[in-house]
Amino acid sequence: MATSTSTTGGGVKGSSSREGSAKAMVADQISQAIQSTSNLLHLMQHSSPSQVQLMKLPKNLLAKTSTIKNTGQVLEQMPQVISSLDAHMEHGLQSVPHLKTVSQLLANMENCQLSAFSQAQKEPELANQPPKVD
């Protein structure tokens, strides 16, 4: 919405009050449209041959306006959320080779520890055996 500022007595203050009244007028028109739609649905429910289908519509359309507004806000945020998730997935996929390397290092460390433990258990057994005589 374009606003123009007047250089006479009101200045910028006059422009902001006009913008505020324009927003109030739009909000009032939206409210009237919702009220009219609600009234129309009410009339149709009582006079339409397809009352069964109309009964499935929201009983109180006015009660749904905050939900509609919230849904609009969520939909506006969806592209940013999708982009963020995509970036996290990309970062995770780039980390896979590093995870393979770390897992191989851990497996090698485990094998070395098991070998050392096994070797340590064999040494006392060898010390308890009598020496071989030729």
Side-chain angles (χ1 to χ4, degrees):
M1 170 187 313
T3 59
S4 61
T5 57
S6 170
T7 54
T8 59
V12 177
K13 187 176 180 183
S15 173
S16 64
S17 69
R18 278 189 302 237
E19 186 175 313
S21 65
K23 286 181 180 180
M25 193 165 81
V26 169
D28 187 50
Q29 288 175 347
I30 291 171
S31 177
Q32 287 177 6
I34 291 171
Q35 184 65 48
S36 297
T37 306
S38 180
N39 291 340
L40 180 62
L41 285 174
H42 185 71
L43 288 172
M44 289 173 68
Q45 285 175 342
H46 294 295
S47 62
S48 174
S50 58
Q51 287 181 356
V52 175
Q53 290 179 348
L54 288 173
M55 294 302 278
K56 294 177 185 176
L57 294 173
K59 299 236 185 284
N60 187 354
L61 190 60
L62 294 174
K64 304 293 181 185
T65 55
S66 65
T67 303
I68 293 167
K69 199 180 294 184
N70 290 341
T71 303
Q73 291 172 349
V74 168
L75 290 174
E76 287 175 6
Q77 295 173 0
M78 286 303 274
Q80 295 168 344
V81 171
I82 291 169
S83 176
S84 178
L85 286 172
D86 188 43
H88 285 295
M89 288 296 295
E90 185 65 31
H91 180 71
L93 290 174
Q94 290 174 356
S95 299
V96 169
H98 300 297
L99 291 174
K100 286 181 181 178
T101 303
V102 169
S103 123
Q104 287 174 344
L105 286 171
L106 289 172
N108 289 342
M109 287 173 59
E110 184 180 16
N111 287 337
C112 288
Q113 288 176 347
L114 288 174
S115 295
F117 181 72
S118 174
Q119 190 68 23
Q121 284 186 337
K122 287 181 183 178
E123 286 178 7
E125 292 173 5
L126 292 174
N128 291 339
Q129 290 180 354
K132 285 187 180 179
V133 179
D134 288 329

